[in-house]
């Protein structure tokens, strides 16, 4: 038997009437009252709507929802979680409930009025095709609804489309401990009772991964045996969290660039790893001073540097070695003539260093903010 969406709508219309007027505790369809997936309503406050959810979501929502955010509740029912979201986003935020059952929409609207939540909007729509613009939500919540959807991939695609980059989906739902057999999937009462349409943890992860969500986690809650018709069947309630990544959605953002295009902004002649290594080499107090001095003085020997910086020779030699390793400076062996002038000698005792001519322009540019004006440099120049 094929599951019909009209049957789901009818069963929730009936469930609302039963719950409201008979104050029964089960959330689900008429046939599944005693084997329902869902806990008794968490209703406590005077104006708190009845809950048809499978998990009490308030503590989790408090962790993720902030003032001013836009939150969409998929399958908002009588508005239990929607009212919590409305309170958390405050007067500058928006809480939008989406449901395809007329009675639920009406009930949630009344509940918003009773609670004076003017930031609540209700949209009557199927959650596989929601008439709201891309990137409209900071957080999308849902409680015991997506298991009821006939095309879950399409619903999760909608979630991805509606979430802003970095936005999070908080989906409390019924999770099957193993893939469900066909006769269970095709049993209308089991489907409307939040069992027949349940996906496993792995099925959730696979779908969400394929769509492009990141940070996917499925945390399982309480196990519950569903006894009739399928004695071996076990379902659990669980929370599925997933984030719409920033990079994937850059193409929709204000700068209109894809992540590939952002990569293309890099200079192909200076790969990032090399650039980062050079910046790390330069970004050291003593090495920066040595480079600045060499840019000014053309060539200096280790002995000069040791005396200028008043450091011990091994310390200077170590920093020079690092600069040489990155090809920023080059050295030649020297001795000193009687007049004290540097002379190249392969077995010379000293090494004289200068900026690698290939890197001179690059280093002048890179270090220009750290170098005094040419006039000041000329004043300080040593012609010895
Ligand atoms: C088990 S109730 C949960 C209601 C609510 N989230 C709560 O926690 O009280 C399921 C709700 O999802 C709605 N629903 C089921 N499938 C839907 C669909 N494809 N599109 C929109 N709403 C749907 C039903 O009308 C019903 O209000």
């Amino acid at each position: 038997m094929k599951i019909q969406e009209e049957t789901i709508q009818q069963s929730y219309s009936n469930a609302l009437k039963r719950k409201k007027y008979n104050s029964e505790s089960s959330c689900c369809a008429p046939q599944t009252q005693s084997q329902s997936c869902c806990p008794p309503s968490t209703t406590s406050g005077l104006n708190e709507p009845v809950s048809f959810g499978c998990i009490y979501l308030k503590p989790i929502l408090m962790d993720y929802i902030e003032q001013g955010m836009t939150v969409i509740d998929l399958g908002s029912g009588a508005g239990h979680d929607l009212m919590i979201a409305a309170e958390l986003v405050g007067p500058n935020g928006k809480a939008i409930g989406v449901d395809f059952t007329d009675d639920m929409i009406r009930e949630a609207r009344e509940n918003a009025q009773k609670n004076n939540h003017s930031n609540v909007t209700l949209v009557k729509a199927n959650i596989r095709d929601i008439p709201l613009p891309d990137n409209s939500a900071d957080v999308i919540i849902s409680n015991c609804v997506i298991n009821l959807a006939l095309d879950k991939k399409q619903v999760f695609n909608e979630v991805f489309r509606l979430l802003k980059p970095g936005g999070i989906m908080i989906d409390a739902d019924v999770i099957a401990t193993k893939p469900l057999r066909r006769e269970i999937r095709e049993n209308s009462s089991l489907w409307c009772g939040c069992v027949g349409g349940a996906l496993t943890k792995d099925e959730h992860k696979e779908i969400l991964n394929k769509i492009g969500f990141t940070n996917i986690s499925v945390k399982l809650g309480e196990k519950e045996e569903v006894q009739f018709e399928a004695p071996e069947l076990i379902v659990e309630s669980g929370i599925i969290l997933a984030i719409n990544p920033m990079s994937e959605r850059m193409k929709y953002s204000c700068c209109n660039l894809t992540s590939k295009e952002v990569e293309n902004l890099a200079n192909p002649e200076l790969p990032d790893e090399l650039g980062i290594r050079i910046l790390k080499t330069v970004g050291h107090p003593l090495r920066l001073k040595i480079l600045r001095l060499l840019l000014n003085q053309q060539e200096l020997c280790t002995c000069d540097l040791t005396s200028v910086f008043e450091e011990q020779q091994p310390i200077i030699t170590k920093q020079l070695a690092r600069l040489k390793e990155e090809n920023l400076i080059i050295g030649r062996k020297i001795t000193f003539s009687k007049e004290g002038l540097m002379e190249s000698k392969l077995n010379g005792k000293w090494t004289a260093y200068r900026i690698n001519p290939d890197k001179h322009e690059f280093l002048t540019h890179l270090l220009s903010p750290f170098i005094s004006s040419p006039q000041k440099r000329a004043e300080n120049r040593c012609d010895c």
Side-chain angles (χ1 to χ4, degrees):
M1 186 175 61
K2 251 188 152 266
I3 312 295
Q4 306 287 331
E5 285 184 332
E6 293 71 30
T7 314
I8 304 171
Q9 280 170 311
Q10 191 55 54
S11 75
Y12 280 97
S13 209
N14 295 342
L16 177 65
K17 283 173 198 139
R18 284 200 319 277
K19 225 175 190 185
K20 257 187 100 174
Y21 304 115
N22 304 334
S23 45
E24 87 182 34
S25 63
S26 159
C27 72
C28 300
Q31 301 92 319
T32 57
Q33 284 170 38
S34 55
Q35 294 89 4
S36 157
C37 61
C38 311
S41 166
T42 51
T43 306
S44 57
L46 209 58
N47 289 329
E48 194 174 334
V50 287
S51 168
F52 295 84
C54 37
I55 288 182
Y56 184 56
L57 270 185
K58 189 169 183 178
I60 301 164
L61 300 186
M62 285 170 72
D63 279 348
Y64 289 97
I65 299 177
E66 288 168 17
Q67 292 271 321
M69 282 184 164
T70 296
V71 177
I72 301 177
D73 184 1
L74 302 187
S76 43
H80 184 272
D81 299 327
L82 190 65
M83 298 308 128
I84 297 171
E87 214 169 287
L88 293 172
V89 297
N92 297 325
K94 284 185 200 163
I96 305 169
V98 181
D99 206 293
F100 70 175
T101 303
D102 283 318
D103 289 331
M104 289 293 194
I105 290 281
R106 198 174 309 119
E107 181 73 9
R109 198 166 278 140
E110 276 174 23
N111 281 322
Q113 276 162 8
K114 278 188 212 157
N115 285 288
N116 291 322
H117 286 317
S118 53
N119 55 355
V120 167
T121 310
L122 284 142
V123 177
K124 193 202 161 194
N126 196 310
I127 54 169
R128 68 174 138 76
D129 183 16
I130 302 168
L132 291 171
D134 296 359
N135 294 350
S136 38
D138 298 283
V139 180
I140 293 189
I141 64 173
S142 187
N143 199 345
C144 207
V145 177
I146 299 178
N147 74 80
L148 295 164
L150 303 186
D151 186 347
K152 294 169 181 55
K153 274 185 209 154
Q154 183 50 34
V155 172
F156 287 124
N157 268 318
E158 276 295 80
V159 172
F160 195 81
R161 179 184 72 76
L162 291 171
L163 274 178
K164 292 178 187 173
I168 188 165
M169 172 184 80
I170 304 168
D171 174 25
D173 213 342
V174 177
I175 294 168
T177 52
K178 56 186 173 187
L180 302 181
R181 291 200 320 271
R182 204 166 135 214
E183 57 267 37
I184 294 169
R185 287 208 171 281
E186 291 185 355
N187 180 313
S188 187
S189 327
L190 283 175
W191 191 285
C192 294
C194 299
V195 173
L199 295 178
T200 63
K201 188 174 172 173
D202 288 346
E203 285 168 336
H204 272 106
K205 284 189 170 175
E206 196 189 329
I207 295 175
L208 296 171
N209 244 319
K210 272 195 187 145
I211 292 173
F213 282 97
T214 56
N215 301 64
I216 301 161
S217 78
V218 182
K219 288 199 185 92
L220 298 175
E222 280 175 28
K223 288 194 183 198
E224 192 172 328
E225 279 197 53
V226 179
Q227 298 195 339
F228 68 125
E229 293 189 46
E232 84 291 11
L233 180 66
I234 297 178
V235 289
E236 300 165 65
S237 55
I239 303 253
I240 304 122
L241 300 178
I243 289 180
N244 180 333
M246 299 282 202
S247 56
E248 289 294 320
R249 298 300 293 268
M250 277 200 74
K251 54 177 172 280
Y252 296 118
S253 75
C254 56
C255 72
N256 267 334
L257 288 179
T258 63
S259 50
K260 187 85 207 139
E261 284 164 337
V262 172
E263 268 173 40
N264 289 343
L265 294 175
N267 176 2
E269 285 171 27
L270 183 62
D272 282 356
E273 301 94 79
L274 179 61
I276 290 164
R277 238 174 47 216
I278 291 177
L279 290 172
K280 278 186 180 164
T281 306
V282 172
H284 177 277
L286 191 49
R287 293 196 287 266
L288 179 63
K289 282 183 190 159
I290 294 172
L291 287 172
R292 191 160 43 204
L293 189 57
L294 289 176
L295 280 167
N296 191 46
Q297 295 295 137
Q298 306 200 356
E299 193 171 37
L300 288 169
C301 84
T302 338
C303 52
D304 296 322
L305 294 163
T306 310
S307 75
V308 169
F309 294 123
E310 296 174 353
E311 287 283 3
Q312 292 185 343
Q313 193 186 324
I315 295 175
I316 298 290
T317 309
K318 192 174 158 200
Q319 304 313 331
L320 288 166
R322 174 76 191 269
L323 292 168
K324 230 177 116 190
E325 217 175 271
E326 287 309 335
N327 276 325
L328 298 178
I329 61 172
I330 50 174
R332 63 180 174 122
K333 284 285 180 197
I334 55 150
T335 55
F336 287 97
S337 67
K338 278 196 193 117
E339 294 77 35
L341 297 173
M342 285 180 190
E343 285 178 359
S344 273
K345 206 144 217 185
L346 278 178
N347 61 354
K349 184 178 168 210
W350 301 101
T351 310
Y353 291 97
R354 63 194 161 108
I355 298 287
N356 180 349
D358 293 344
K359 296 281 161 52
H360 204 285
E361 198 186 333
F362 170 76
L363 283 173
T364 309
H365 266 309
L366 185 67
L367 300 185
S368 61
F370 302 96
I371 295 176
S372 60
S373 66
Q375 195 188 345
K376 262 238 146 45
R377 286 210 299 278
E379 283 166 23
N380 292 335
R381 192 175 193 102
C382 163
D383 292 323
C384 50

